[in-house]
Amino acid sequence: MLKLEVALGERAYPILIGESLLSDGKTLPASISAQDILLVSNTTVAPLYADRVRDALQDRRVVDVRLPDGEQHKTLDNVSRVLDVLVANRFGRDSLVIALGGGVVGDLAGFSAACYQRGVAFAQLPTTLLSQVDSSVGGKTGVNHPGGKNLIGAFHQPRVVISDTATLRTLPARELRAGLAEVIKYALVFDVAFLGWLEQHLDDLLALDAAALAHAIYRSCELKAQVVLRDEHEQGERALLNFGHTFGHAIETATGYTEWLHGEAVAAGMLIAADMSSRLGLLPASDVQRVRLLLQRAGLAIDPPRMTASRAMQLMGVDKKVRAGRIRLVLLEALGRARFTADYPDDALAATLTEYFD
Amino acid sequence: MLKLEVALGERAYPILIGESLLSDGKTLPASISAQDILLVSNTTVAPLYADRVRDALQDRRVVDVRLPDGEQHKTLDNVSRVLDVLVANRFGRDSLVIALGGGVVGDLAGFSAACYQRGVAFAQLPTTLLSQVDSSVGGKTGVNHPGGKNLIGAFHQPRVVISDTATLRTLPARELRAGLAEVIKYALVFDVAFLGWLEQHLDDLLALDAAALAHAIYRSCELKAQVVLRDEHEQGERALLNFGHTFGHAIETATGYTEWLHGEAVAAGMLIAADMSSRLGLLPASDVQRVRLLLQRAGLAIDPPRMTASRAMQLMGVDKKVRAGRIRLVLLEALGRARFTADYPDDALAATLTEYFD
């Protein structure tokens, strides 16, 4: 088992990563001290793993909530439903909410925990690669609004994150690859040595080798934690984590958040951002090629949907990363180093968008 | 104008107290820098004061939300309504939510601000004495759940609080007196000299003398701030602020939160708590008499509703101040000094409850 301590002062917590941590009968009871536990999951994940969690915590009171599966259910109405269950069971301030599932469950359960009695403890048991490398660190919780994603939420740190790599065996291959997009993102933005490691071990990761998965998750969380610690409430540097996301956002919005997985859109967005970095002379074309090759091997080199550059720009414009009317972008200065900037010629952006979307 | 700085580190903010601060044309624009402002109010307060706020901020974009008046509207549904308006108007992270009204509006608008985009700024313009002395300090925001009051919420500090004592001229006299109950509470729990001042100036306060009101509000906020600063997230000492509230809670619950104003119930509860302190030999009977006399003069010596001691105890038991099955109480060790304790003989509690409720 690998253990990463996220050193957030009095809100510090450990991320535990390893094979079969949910079923080993000791990691869960040793990590969670609460007696009253609300287990929030969804109708896909609960039948696979809820019993393991219940068995491991058989000496506690565990109440179950199963939400329907899918991003469209990440709503304030479902938060209300979770809160109803907490109230109906008279859970006190010393209770704990477990999120068992992917990012939707984690975001919604975490926000419910943040709101209940002005904040009760919560624990994340992420069962997708994306949530293991992304939602585990940063304390962002929340739900969508018909007017935009994640518009309602809170910063609320978990008490513990337990990433059981065995749960990835039941994850659809497409979702595993989408999760790898975020892993690759950390390497591209922060750590060229990790990029080299990923190039070497990509086949192991796709084959679900436990040791390779654990290392990839550990290093991703570590890189994200370093940024979050320096910028907990997202004032500056944390924006670098949005590499590929602004372009990806245009793809997701254009396709109504249904056809493309988030990671797939981010992968396409990263390639576009790398290409634009190259057009600006920041990055050699050979490095763009290296990015493209790795994404291809991961099954992530997917052509964006066709649209005009101006339409893409418009879709990017509704993104939260807009300041004073001008789109700020995360660009690569080198493999493993990024910058967040509004300082680029408009025609370079237009040319890039035309190249990829038109 | 009096100015109290609540020194919460990077979340420090000023409380400005004085006559006609909403209409002087300078306090509001000088205190609020945001361009996009959501003004949350209710159908009672908005017709009286919303135009003053709009006029003072005429160079900003001010969008109005008016909620129905009353505690029963402090719901998650109305938070959702406020969030809808923020989204519909595309308010960004640099926008600000103003709460114009009493505690209900402040709690609901503050919680909406806490949740929108994981936290935007908010400003309190309290228009009741209770909210000027209570909700201005502490950062508690939230709404009720059918299963209990304030079960859903967040800690979210305002950027500024502006207490215009002129707004108290439109406040029903009964609500003014209920607000005075909380003022008297601060004196009883923390400051016997302030108690003496209140005894001297009670008539000025009831006559809405601006200078007397400003001092009473200032000192109440100062006393509360000192406690909150030492105990921001309500782990210990802050419990002293609940003096009178556990007994008062029994009254409010028994009467369905409709007949008694919160401050009235707290006033009755303070007298019961003082009496019990006296039974335990902590407080001389003459001090209980002094408390009773002051509450009488303020029009707050109201007989609790009739019920058995065991019923009262049961109603107190659902209160949040219960630990491990035993009711902890705030008792007076002297006028101006309190303790939070579960260490008292049960028969003293039973005798006190029988005296007042039976």
Side-chain angles (χ1 to χ4, degrees):
Chain A
M1 181 177 81
L2 301 178
K3 178 174 177 176
L4 176 68
E5 196 67 39
V6 182
L8 279 163
E10 61 179 24
R11 283 168 288 110
Y13 66 90
I15 300 176
L16 311 178
I17 306 157
E19 189 79 354
S20 302
L21 296 186
L22 296 188
S23 47
D24 66 9
K26 57 189 185 193
T27 304
L28 271 166
S31 307
I32 292 174
S33 59
Q35 282 303 314
D36 289 340
I37 295 167
L38 186 76
L39 177 60
V40 182
S41 189
N42 68 33
T43 48
T44 306
V45 173
L48 297 168
Y49 300 110
D51 281 349
R52 294 187 199 184
V53 176
R54 283 188 160 280
D55 287 349
L57 297 169
Q58 56 187 295
D59 57 332
R60 323 294 174 89
R61 178 163 75 125
V62 180
V63 175
D64 237 300
V65 183
R66 296 179 187 201
L67 303 168
D69 190 8
E71 180 86 25
Q72 71 272 31
H73 302 292
K74 202 172 105 171
T75 62
L76 196 54
D77 275 349
N78 275 324
V79 171
S80 188
R81 198 176 138 195
V82 172
L83 292 168
D84 288 346
V85 178
L86 285 163
V87 173
N89 287 279
R90 301 180 71 105
F91 273 48
R93 286 187 185 167
D94 51 359
S95 55
L96 178 140
V97 174
I98 288 179
L100 173 70
V104 169
V105 166
D107 285 1
L108 193 154
F111 183 52
S112 305
C115 293
Y116 186 58
Q117 301 211 11
R118 298 193 193 93
V120 296
F122 99 106
Q124 299 240 44
L125 313 185
T127 60
T128 67
L129 182 58
L130 179 59
S131 58
Q132 289 175 352
V133 300
D134 186 31
S135 331
S136 310
V137 184
K140 284 188 184 179
T141 69
V143 294
N144 300 327
H145 184 279
K149 288 183 78 174
N150 295 316
L151 284 180
I152 305 169
F155 284 95
H156 191 54
Q157 304 293 343
R159 293 293 170 89
V160 63
V161 177
I162 302 174
S163 287
D164 181 346
T165 49
T167 61
L168 303 181
R169 296 183 195 290
T170 53
L171 190 69
R174 188 178 163 200
E175 286 200 45
L176 184 83
R177 290 195 300 268
L180 281 173
E182 292 282 343
V183 175
I184 292 167
K185 182 194 76 177
Y186 293 113
L188 290 175
V189 171
F190 298 115
D191 185 356
V192 68
F194 185 40
L195 184 67
W197 184 91
L198 285 172
E199 290 171 327
Q200 272 193 300
H201 294 88
L202 188 71
D203 296 336
D204 301 328
L205 292 169
L206 290 169
L208 298 174
D209 175 83
L213 286 170
H215 176 76
I217 295 164
Y218 182 95
R219 185 63 184 146
S220 296
C221 290
E222 189 176 39
L223 288 166
K224 182 167 183 186
Q226 286 168 2
V227 176
V228 168
L229 290 184
R230 286 191 295 253
D231 182 20
E232 190 182 347
H233 290 98
E234 201 164 27
Q235 305 302 307
E237 192 185 351
R238 199 160 164 170
L240 298 181
L241 296 172
N242 289 321
F243 177 61
H245 283 60
T246 306
F247 294 105
H249 188 82
I251 295 171
E252 289 179 286
T253 310
T255 54
Y257 290 94
T258 49
E259 296 164 50
W260 287 63
L261 294 178
H262 177 66
E264 291 170 342
V266 167
M270 291 195 294
L271 191 56
I272 298 172
D275 185 80
M276 178 161 165
S277 307
S278 166
R279 278 167 202 270
L280 295 172
L282 296 169
L283 200 68
S286 58
D287 282 348
V288 181
Q289 196 47 38
R290 201 174 148 188
V291 174
R292 187 190 310 270
L293 189 63
L294 183 60
L295 293 174
Q296 263 168 0
R297 286 179 57 205
L300 288 163
I302 309 161
D303 283 336
R306 298 230 169 272
M307 67 182 103
T308 62
S310 70
R311 169 78 177 139
M313 199 125 39
Q314 189 196 341
L315 293 177
M316 289 163 67
V318 298
D319 191 81
K320 277 173 285 184
K321 288 162 283 295
V322 181
R323 284 278 162 87
R326 192 168 164 82
I327 298 166
R328 300 216 288 174
L329 295 171
V330 185
L331 298 173
L332 293 182
E333 298 178 337
L335 294 180
R337 206 168 72 237
R339 71 163 68 150
F340 184 47
T341 181
D343 183 22
Y344 53 81
D346 284 334
D347 54 1
L349 176 59
T352 308
L353 292 172
T354 303
E355 164 90 21
Y356 282 86
F357 288 100
D358 223 5
Chain B
M1 182 178 82
L2 302 177
K3 179 174 176 175
L4 175 68
E5 196 67 41
V6 182
L8 280 163
E10 61 179 22
R11 283 167 289 113
Y13 66 92
I15 300 176
L16 311 176
I17 305 158
E19 190 77 355
S20 301
L21 297 185
L22 296 188
S23 48
D24 66 8
K26 57 188 183 195
T27 305
L28 271 167
S31 308
I32 292 173
S33 57
Q35 284 302 315
D36 289 340
I37 294 167
L38 186 76
L39 177 59
V40 181
S41 190
N42 68 36
T43 48
T44 305
V45 173
L48 297 167
Y49 299 110
D51 280 351
R52 295 188 197 181
V53 176
R54 283 188 160 282
D55 287 351
L57 297 169
Q58 56 187 294
D59 57 331
R60 323 294 173 89
R61 176 163 77 124
V62 179
V63 174
D64 238 300
V65 183
R66 296 178 187 201
L67 303 168
D69 190 6
E71 179 86 25
Q72 70 273 31
H73 302 292
K74 203 173 105 171
T75 61
L76 196 55
D77 275 350
N78 274 323
V79 171
S80 187
R81 197 176 137 194
V82 172
L83 292 168
D84 288 347
V85 177
L86 285 162
V87 174
N89 287 280
R90 299 180 72 107
F91 274 49
R93 286 186 186 168
D94 51 359
S95 56
L96 178 138
V97 175
I98 287 180
L100 173 70
V104 169
V105 165
D107 285 0
L108 193 153
F111 183 52
S112 305
C115 294
Y116 186 57
Q117 300 209 14
R118 298 195 193 90
V120 298
F122 99 108
Q124 299 240 42
L125 313 185
T127 61
T128 68
L129 182 57
L130 178 60
S131 59
Q132 288 175 353
V133 300
D134 185 31
S135 332
S136 309
V137 184
K140 284 188 184 180
T141 69
V143 294
N144 300 327
H145 185 278
K149 289 184 76 174
N150 296 316
L151 284 179
I152 305 169
F155 285 95
H156 192 55
Q157 303 293 343
R159 293 292 172 90
V160 63
V161 177
I162 302 174
S163 286
D164 181 347
T165 50
T167 61
L168 303 182
R169 296 182 194 291
T170 54
L171 191 68
R174 188 178 164 200
E175 286 200 44
L176 183 81
R177 290 196 299 269
L180 282 174
E182 293 280 345
V183 175
I184 293 168
K185 180 194 76 178
Y186 293 115
L188 290 175
V189 172
F190 298 115
D191 186 356
V192 69
F194 184 39
L195 184 66
W197 184 92
L198 286 172
E199 290 171 327
Q200 273 194 300
H201 294 88
L202 189 69
D203 296 337
D204 300 330
L205 293 169
L206 290 168
L208 297 173
D209 175 82
L213 286 170
H215 176 76
I217 295 163
Y218 181 93
R219 185 65 184 144
S220 296
C221 290
E222 190 175 37
L223 288 166
K224 182 167 183 185
Q226 285 168 3
V227 175
V228 168
L229 291 183
R230 285 192 295 255
D231 182 19
E232 190 182 347
H233 289 100
E234 201 165 25
Q235 306 301 308
E237 192 185 349
R238 200 160 167 172
L240 298 181
L241 296 170
N242 289 321
F243 178 61
H245 282 61
T246 306
F247 294 105
H249 188 81
I251 296 172
E252 289 178 287
T253 310
T255 54
Y257 290 94
T258 50
E259 296 163 47
W260 288 64
L261 294 178
H262 177 67
E264 293 170 340
V266 167
M270 290 194 296
L271 191 54
I272 299 173
D275 186 79
M276 178 159 165
S277 307
S278 166
R279 280 168 200 267
L280 295 174
L282 297 169
L283 201 67
S286 58
D287 281 350
V288 181
Q289 197 45 38
R290 200 174 151 189
V291 174
R292 188 190 310 271
L293 189 65
L294 183 60
L295 293 174
Q296 262 167 4
R297 287 178 59 206
L300 287 164
I302 308 161
D303 283 335
R306 298 228 170 275
M307 66 182 102
T308 62
S310 69
R311 169 78 176 139
M313 200 129 32
Q314 188 197 342
L315 293 176
M316 290 163 69
V318 299
D319 189 82
K320 276 173 283 183
K321 288 163 283 296
V322 179
R323 282 282 160 84
R326 192 168 164 81
I327 299 165
R328 302 216 289 175
L329 295 170
V330 185
L331 298 173
L332 294 183
E333 298 177 336
L335 294 180
R337 207 169 70 236
R339 71 164 69 146
F340 184 47
T341 180
D343 183 20
Y344 54 80
D346 284 334
D347 54 1
L349 176 59
T352 309
L353 293 172
T354 302
E355 165 91 20
Y356 281 87
F357 287 101
D358 222 4

